[in-house]
């Protein structure tokens, strides 16, 4: 009987094993790899991301070590540590350990956004022969880019952007024939773009922007037949645009802005049939804009601002550049007179035609899609009446430096507008037309300086998001309201060159984000309140030419501003001016 029970139990166990088989033995990570990872951890002095706190225990392949992945044989093949994009307060502080070069099976190494990881890239990383992705973006790494990285023949992605690397771009990087993405942007690299890059025929994305690179834009770029993205902006590149560049039929995004390029745009620009964005701004390009640009069927953003382009503009039909949404022709040698019909009649989101010698009345754009208008530094006259009433998408309006003449009460803007710049016109009326209890919480910038505005400064209600308020050089009188303290987001305040009277309210000291303060050339009286010492972010202040008296707040930055900051007042004293009378005697007692 006992034997029968034993047999039955054995059969039961066997049947259960078929339904619930025992797990296979889990692969424990290589001790050598674990030691290499701990070597990296030891060089990180502080980790506010708290990622490395999970790097404990013997098994780095069990899934508990954050950012670590392994292959089936228990060898580490992935280290990916990225700061969460939405939290800029998190970081790692330390250096990169050379022990990372011992991870022989590593295919992916990503350490990005950590801000305070400094020092060089260890030479040992050149030994990671299986590496396919090396991403060390947005740290504080420095020194030269190791030429040994050119030995990583399987590398498909190399991104060292957003660090402090200097020196030249190594020629050896041209050996990375499998590269698809190369990003060395936002560093301090010098020299020219290496000719060895002609070998990088599989590149899809090429970014060397925001460096100190010089020399010509090389013809070899025309050999990147699979390229979709080129950004060489914000360098010191010179010479003409290479014609070969305009044979890249897969190119969708080209930015060469903020360089020193000369010559004209070749007619072959019309061959870039995949182009969606073209930025050549801030160069020294001249000549007319070629008519072939109308063949760019997919182009939605065109920025040719701040060059020397001249008339005539190309005559573009209603079917030309059908995808265009954003255009910027500002600050060239164009003399347009009126806005061309092919710009006026489109459903554009951004129109920037500053300093294009536009004349006459304000143009009537299609109102349904515009989000940004910049027609500053032109010769526009008259009123703008209710042009913007139906522009429900409008966010930025810039009409400064014109000859517009209208009452502020006529300005009807949509609730979602964030920036209004009307400085240097002939605008009159009262500020209460745009600053009242109906002012949108979206509004961040108001600049109506150098106009004919009168009346007083209105009370500021709670909930405003203003960051810039510039009402200088007008005819505004009255006092600064104590409700100025409600502008808790304000960073720049300029009320200079008006007729403001009364005292500086102590409540101004509650505007703690203020960086720029100009109260000069008014009729202010009394003392500069010591409450202003609470504004720790202040970088510029001007109190000159008022009727202020008493001791200047004796703390930084007020006592280290130049004396001219306080000149032409009644009786201000204390550093940086002369000591206040009786101050020395009080100190002795």
């Amino acid at each position: 009987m006992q034997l029968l029970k034993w047999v039955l139990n054995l059969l039961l166990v066997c049947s259960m094993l078929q339904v619930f088989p025992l797990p296979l033995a889990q692969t424990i990570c290589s001790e050598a790899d674990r030691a290499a990872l701990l070597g990296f951890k030891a060089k990180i002095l502080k980790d506010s991301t708290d990622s490395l706190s999970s790097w404990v225990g013997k098994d780095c392949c069990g899934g508990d070590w954050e950012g670590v992945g392994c292959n089936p044989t228990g060898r580490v093949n992935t280290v990916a540590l990225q700061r969460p994009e939405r939290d800029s307060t998190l970081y790692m502080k330390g250096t990169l350990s050379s022990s990372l070069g011992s991870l022989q099976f590593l295919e992916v190494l990503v350490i990005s956004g950590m801000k305070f990881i400094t020092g060089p890239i260890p030479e040992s990383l050149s030994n990671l022969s299986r590496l396919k992705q090396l991403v060390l973006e947005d740290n504080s790494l420095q020194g030269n880019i190791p030429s040994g990285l050119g030995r990583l023949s399987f590398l498909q992605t190399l991104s060292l952007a957003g660090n402090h690397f200097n020196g030249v771009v190594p020629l050896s990087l041209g050996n990375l024939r499998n590269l698809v993405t190369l990003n060395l942007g936002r560093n301090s690299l010098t020299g020219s773009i290496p000719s060895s890059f002609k070998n990088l025929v599989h590149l899809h994305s090429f970014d060397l922007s925001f460096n100190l690179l010089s020399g010509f834009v090389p013809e070899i770029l025309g050999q990147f037949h699979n390229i979709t993205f080129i950004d060489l902006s914000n360098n010191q590149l010179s010479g003409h645009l290479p014609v070969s560049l305009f044979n890249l039929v897969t190119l969708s995004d080209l930015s060469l802005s903020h360089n020193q390029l000369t010559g004209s745009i070749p007619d072959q620009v019309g061959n870039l049939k995949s182009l969606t964005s073209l930025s050549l701004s801030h160069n020294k390009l001249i000549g007319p804009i070629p008519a072939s640009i109308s063949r760019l069927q997919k182009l939605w953003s065109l920025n040719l601002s701040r060059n020397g382009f001249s008339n005539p503009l190309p005559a573009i039909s209603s079917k030309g550049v059908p995808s265009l949404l954003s255009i910027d022709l500002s600050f060239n040698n164009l003399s347009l007179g009126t806005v061309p019909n092919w710009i006026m009649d489109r459903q554009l989101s951004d129109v920037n035609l500053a300093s294009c010698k536009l004349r006459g009345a304000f143009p009537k754009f299609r109102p349904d899609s515009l989000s940004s208008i910049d027609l500053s530094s032109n010769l526009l006259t008259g009123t703008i009446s209710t042009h913007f009433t139906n522009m429900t998408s409008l966010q930025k309006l810039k009409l400064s430096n014109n000859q517009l003449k209208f009452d502020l009460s006529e300005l009807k803007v949509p609730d979602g507008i964030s920036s209004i710049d009307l400085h240097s016109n002939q605008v009159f009326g009262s500020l209460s037309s745009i600053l009242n209890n109906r002012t949108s919480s979206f509004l961040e910038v108001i600049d109506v300086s150098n106009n004919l505005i009168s009346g007083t400064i209105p009370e500021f209600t709670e909930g405003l998001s203003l960051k810039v308020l510039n009402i200088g050089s007008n005819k505004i009188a009255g006092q600064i309201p104590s409700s100025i303290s409600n502008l808790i987001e304000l960073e720049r305040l300029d009320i200079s060159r008006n007729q403001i009277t009364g005292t500086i309210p102590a409540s101004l000291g509650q505007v703690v984000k203020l960086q720029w303060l100009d109260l000069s050339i008014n009729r202010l009286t009394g003392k500069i309140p010591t409450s202003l010492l609470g504004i720790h972010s202040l970088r510029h202040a001007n109190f000159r030419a008022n009727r202020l008296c008493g001791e200047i707040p004796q703390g930084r930055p007020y006592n280290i501003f130049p004396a001219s900051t306080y000149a032409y007042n009644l009786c201000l004293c204390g550093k940086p001016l002369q000591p206040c009378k009786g101050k020395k005697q009080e100190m002795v007692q």
Side-chain angles (χ1 to χ4, degrees):
M1 194 67 182
Q2 286 293 105
L3 181 61
L4 181 60
K5 281 185 177 181
W6 182 83
V7 171
L8 288 172
N9 286 335
L10 182 61
L11 290 172
L12 180 61
V13 170
C14 290
S15 64
M16 288 180 69
L17 285 174
Q18 289 178 336
V19 179
F20 304 105
L22 289 172
L24 294 173
Q26 188 172 344
T27 305
I28 303 295
C29 76
S30 156
E31 180 57 35
D33 289 354
R34 177 177 171 274
L37 292 174
L38 291 178
F40 165 75
K41 181 179 178 179
K43 290 285 189 177
I44 301 300
L45 307 177
K46 186 173 183 180
D47 174 22
S48 69
T49 72
D50 209 30
S51 301
L52 300 183
S53 64
S54 66
W55 288 21
V56 293
K58 291 189 175 182
D59 189 7
C60 61
C61 291
D64 294 330
W65 286 41
E66 186 173 335
V68 177
C70 300
N71 64 21
T73 64
R75 301 309 297 263
V76 173
N77 61 7
T78 300
V79 175
L81 299 168
Q82 292 178 280
R83 175 181 58 80
E85 286 186 18
R86 296 181 181 178
D87 194 344
S88 60
T89 63
L90 301 180
Y91 62 89
M92 288 184 184
K93 184 176 183 180
T95 57
L96 293 181
S97 171
S98 60
S99 67
L100 289 171
S102 302
L103 297 170
Q104 299 175 16
F105 289 79
L106 200 63
E107 297 179 10
V108 176
L109 177 57
V110 178
I111 300 171
S112 70
M114 296 306 176
K115 292 196 296 187
F116 300 120
I117 294 182
T118 60
I121 295 178
E123 293 283 350
S124 62
L125 295 195
S126 302
N127 299 327
L128 300 174
S129 58
R130 290 177 170 83
L131 206 61
K132 295 178 181 178
Q133 293 186 46
L134 177 58
V135 179
L136 302 175
E137 294 177 345
D138 296 311
N139 298 296
S140 293
L141 298 170
Q142 57 213 77
N144 295 341
I145 297 173
S147 60
L149 296 183
R151 298 201 300 267
L152 304 178
S153 57
F154 288 104
L155 211 58
Q156 297 173 8
T157 298
L158 175 60
S159 180
L160 308 177
N163 284 285
H164 305 304
F165 293 118
N166 52 32
V168 299
V169 180
L171 280 167
S172 62
L173 297 188
N175 299 329
L176 303 176
R177 296 173 181 268
N178 290 307
L179 266 189
V180 175
T181 298
L182 176 59
N183 188 351
L184 305 179
R186 293 178 288 120
N187 282 290
S188 299
L189 299 171
T190 54
S192 59
I193 299 172
S195 58
S196 61
F197 279 13
K198 66 186 179 186
N199 300 320
L200 307 181
V201 292
H202 298 296
L203 271 185
H204 284 200
S205 180
F206 183 50
D207 190 342
L208 298 180
S209 62
F210 290 91
N211 278 289
L212 302 169
L213 298 173
S214 56
F216 298 157
V217 178
E219 289 280 353
I220 58 169
L221 297 189
Q223 299 179 38
F224 295 171
H225 297 301
N226 300 310
I227 200 83
T228 60
F229 180 92
I230 295 177
D231 190 351
L232 303 179
S233 64
N234 293 274
N235 278 288
Q236 299 170 9
L237 300 171
S238 57
H240 291 198
L241 295 168
V243 174
S244 65
L245 193 62
F246 299 98
N247 296 323
L248 299 173
V249 293
T250 61
L251 187 63
S252 64
D253 196 312
L254 174 61
S255 181
L256 299 172
S257 61
H258 291 267
N259 278 290
Q260 299 168 20
L261 301 174
T262 54
S264 59
I265 300 177
D267 193 56
Q268 289 89 334
V269 67
N271 297 338
L272 299 176
K273 62 182 183 180
S274 300
L275 202 65
T276 61
S277 178
L278 175 62
S279 181
L280 301 175
S281 66
H282 289 80
N283 278 289
K284 301 176 181 178
L285 299 168
I286 58 171
I289 298 166
S292 62
I293 213 160
S294 65
R295 301 204 306 264
L296 301 177
Q297 298 289 300
K298 296 181 179 180
L299 190 71
W300 65 266
S301 177
L302 176 63
N303 188 347
L304 304 179
S305 63
R306 297 185 184 274
N307 280 284
F309 294 118
S310 54
N311 287 16
L313 274 190
I316 295 179
S317 70
S318 58
K319 295 182 179 179
V321 281
S323 304
L324 195 65
L325 293 175
S326 176
I327 186 167
D328 193 343
L329 303 178
S330 302
F331 298 101
N332 281 286
N333 290 327
L334 296 169
S335 184
L336 299 185
T338 58
V339 178
N341 288 336
W342 62 270
I343 295 177
M344 287 279 290
D345 298 339
R346 291 173 187 269
Q347 287 188 316
L348 299 176
S349 63
D350 301 286
V351 175
N352 301 284
L353 298 174
S355 189
C356 286
K357 294 188 173 63
L358 297 173
R359 299 174 180 274
F362 187 84
K364 294 183 178 180
F365 293 102
R366 292 183 62 168
D368 40 5
S369 59
L370 274 171
S371 64
S372 175
I373 301 173
D374 183 356
L375 302 183
S376 61
S377 300
N378 280 294
L379 301 167
L380 298 174
T381 57
T383 181
I384 56 176
S385 61
T386 55
H387 279 296
F388 311 108
T389 307
N390 298 321
M391 291 188 180
T392 54
S393 300
L394 191 63
Q395 296 177 23
K396 295 183 179 181
L397 175 63
K398 187 170 185 179
L399 302 176
S400 57
N401 286 296
N402 277 284
Q403 298 169 18
L404 297 168
K405 189 173 185 178
F406 62 91
D407 192 317
L408 268 182
S409 63
E410 297 176 20
L411 183 64
K412 308 296 181 185
V413 292
D415 289 340
I417 198 161
S418 63
S419 177
I420 299 173
D421 186 352
L422 302 172
H423 83 259
S424 303
N425 279 283
Q426 299 171 36
V427 180
F428 55 93
S430 169
L431 284 175
S432 58
S433 299
I434 55 173
L435 273 173
N436 49 56
N437 56 11
R438 298 183 305 279
T439 302
S440 168
S441 60
F442 292 104
L443 190 58
E444 295 183 349
V445 176
I446 294 178
D447 189 345
V448 291
S449 60
N450 197 24
N451 277 288
L452 305 171
I453 296 167
S454 55
T456 61
I457 301 175
E459 295 287 340
F460 300 104
T461 57
E462 293 183 4
L464 293 177
S465 302
L466 278 178
K467 294 182 178 179
V468 174
L469 178 59
N470 188 349
I471 58 175
S473 299
N474 279 287
K475 299 179 178 180
I476 299 167
Q479 301 186 5
I480 303 171
S482 59
S483 58
I484 190 85
S485 58
N486 286 329
L487 301 183
I488 57 175
E489 300 296 327
L490 199 64
E491 297 174 3
R492 186 181 183 104
L493 175 63
D494 189 338
I495 65 172
S496 64
R497 298 177 184 274
N498 279 286
Q499 300 163 21
I500 309 296
T501 57
T503 60
I504 301 171
S507 59
L508 183 59
Q510 298 175 41
V511 187
V512 294
K513 293 185 180 180
L514 208 59
Q515 299 176 24
W516 177 289
L517 174 64
D518 195 340
L519 308 180
S520 64
I521 316 179
N522 279 288
R523 300 171 185 174
L524 294 167
T525 56
K527 298 181 64 174
I528 299 174
T530 56
S531 62
L532 268 57
L533 289 169
I535 308 175
H536 300 297
S537 57
L538 199 66
R539 299 290 178 268
H540 171 89
N542 194 348
F543 300 94
R544 67 188 292 270
N546 278 285
R547 299 171 182 176
L548 299 169
C549 194
E551 186 176 31
I552 294 166
Q554 291 302 290
R556 286 176 178 266
Y558 303 94
N559 59 351
I560 60 170
F561 281 137
S564 58
T565 300
Y566 307 101
Y568 304 107
N569 277 284
L570 281 182
C571 48
L572 286 177
C573 57
K575 285 184 178 180
L577 303 181
Q578 295 295 318
C580 296
K581 289 182 179 179
K583 199 70 179 175
K584 288 184 178 178
Q585 289 84 340
E586 290 174 16
M587 291 174 67
V588 170
Q589 292 171 358

